[in-house]
Structure formats: C-alpha cells, structure tokens
Amino acid sequence: MTIEDKTEMARHAHTFDDNLGTPPKTFLSPHHGSPFMESQIPLFLNRFSLSYFKDARCIEYFLYSNEKTDEISKELIVSHDIFSNEINVSKFYPEIYKEALPRYMSATCFFLMMHHAASLFDIHCDCSICLETRSAVFESFYKRLKDFDFIIQRQHVCDNCHVQGCYHDFPVEIGMIKEMSVTQRTEMLEW
C-alpha cells in the first residue's frame, strides 16, 4: 500500500457517521482531515462564533449566536494535563440544541474547540482526549464523533462513564476564535 493510499484511507476514516458528500476545500488541507467537518465549519461560522479566555493550562470558551448576538453558552471548559499529555474536557454543554436547525453544530463546535485547544497547548497527534459523561450522551454524541475515536474507558456507578479518545492533528483554520482580554472576562463575571 502506498503512502497516498494510506493518506486517502485515513482521510475517510475520521468522518462523522452522516457524511453529506464532498465539501469545498476551505478550512482543512486537501490531503488530511475530515471532509464532513470541512463541510460543516462554514455553516457553523455563518451562525455562531467562539471566543476564549486562557488561564495557564485551562481554556474557557464562549459560544455566541451571530444572528442574535447573544451568548449561547459558557459551559465549555478544556484543560491540558501536561504530565499525562491529555486534553481534559471539563465541561461541554454548548446548548446549541435550543437554536433553530442545530444538527451537527455541537459536533462542529467540539471539533473546532479541540483543534484550537491543541494549537494553544502545542499538542500534536496521538494525545488523548478525556471526559466524563453519561452513557446515553456517549452513545448519542461522542461515539458518533469519528474524528476522535471515542470509547468508554471505564463505566461508573449511576450510568456515568469515563470516555477517552484520540486527538488527530488535522490542519484546521482556527484564527476566527478570538481571545478575550482579562478586562472583558472580568466584566463578564460582574454581570
């Protein structure tokens, strides 16, 4: 098998279950990446925007509706454990499901956040992504995110589980995610 064959196989191996066809090559490299997410990123950015506040090895993301100019969610927290070289998703509740036509938008938000966080933490391929969730959420959401190969690592009592996946370093344009200043963050907390 040639390198080109392996590249093509890898390119198609990491797609969301419901692939909608070949998208325009805008946000990801034509040689690597997720064709499904490539088709979803422009749709997401037409409707939503992300900003972030970084404090050492922790990043808090803020999701906004472009149409309403309202904050949709601030329950988006990611950290980097430098000793285990893991990205830990502390909170991911984007609440996009409350918006009109939410299909695939939470998946796209997660995809962009992981690539942005990996860039800020200077992480490359084969870094683990870990999180805690309910089994039903794993089945309906994380298991379907083929770009991260999520599996249940440990099942806990009360239907909670520890989920682990793998970060794949696709070249993704993340410059549209803007950093929030300390002043802006302080003003948000005072509201």
Side-chain angles (χ1 to χ4, degrees), residues 12 15 18-25 34-40:
H12 294 291
T15 59
D18 302 306
N19 195 331
L20 296 177
T22 306
K25 305 295 182 221
S34 171
F36 179 77
M37 281 299 162
E38 190 166 329
S39 71
Q40 296 304 305

Side-chain angles (χ1 to χ4, degrees), residues 3-190:
I3 292 175
E4 289 80 19
D5 292 337
K6 288 179 183 178
T7 301
E8 190 65 18
M9 282 178 55
R11 185 170 170 227
H12 294 291
H14 299 290
T15 59
F16 199 78
D17 280 342
D18 302 306
N19 195 331
L20 296 177
T22 306
K25 305 295 182 221
T26 313
F27 291 92
L28 303 176
S29 162
H31 302 292
H32 306 288
S34 171
F36 179 77
M37 281 299 162
E38 190 166 329
S39 71
Q40 296 304 305
I41 291 171
L43 300 173
F44 178 87
L45 294 175
N46 282 336
R47 299 181 57 204
F48 305 104
S49 63
L50 281 167
S51 64
Y52 71 97
F53 180 76
K54 184 173 186 258
D55 184 11
R57 303 310 277 171
C58 185
I59 304 170
E60 185 174 8
Y61 288 92
F62 306 92
L63 178 66
Y64 299 91
S65 165
N66 292 342
E67 181 181 303
K68 301 175 196 169
T69 64
D70 289 340
E71 183 178 27
I72 295 172
S73 182
K74 56 183 177 252
E75 298 291 318
L76 309 167
I77 301 173
V78 176
S79 62
H80 178 220
D81 183 336
I82 56 174
F83 300 108
S84 62
N85 195 34
E86 292 178 345
I87 297 173
N88 293 305
V89 180
S90 302
K91 291 185 179 182
F92 183 73
Y93 305 106
E95 299 187 12
I96 293 176
Y97 68 91
K98 295 178 181 178
E99 301 296 308
L101 304 170
R103 191 168 186 183
Y104 307 126
M105 295 297 105
S106 290
T108 307
C109 181
F110 188 87
F111 182 87
L112 286 171
M113 284 175 51
M114 291 304 101
H115 285 279
H116 183 262
S119 175
L120 289 181
F121 296 142
D122 195 28
I123 294 172
H124 303 286
C125 271
D126 301 328
C127 171
S128 293
I129 300 172
C130 299
L131 56 99
E132 300 286 325
T133 192
R134 293 185 320 271
S135 295
V137 173
F138 170 77
E139 290 295 328
S140 66
F141 184 71
Y142 293 105
K143 184 177 179 179
R144 297 180 70 205
L145 296 174
K146 299 302 181 190
D147 296 299
F148 302 104
D149 305 321
F150 282 116
I151 59 166
I152 294 178
Q153 191 74 19
R154 281 186 310 277
Q155 189 73 44
H156 300 300
V157 182
C158 301
D159 199 37
N160 288 337
C161 55
H162 177 81
V163 174
Q164 186 170 354
C166 186
Y167 171 73
H168 302 286
D169 193 9
F170 302 138
V172 178
E173 173 56 46
I174 53 169
M176 75 295 282
I177 303 174
K178 301 298 180 195
E179 185 171 12
M180 190 177 279
S181 70
V182 174
T183 305
Q184 291 169 318
R185 180 69 180 115
T186 304
E187 288 172 0
M188 280 184 73
L189 292 173
E190 291 173 354

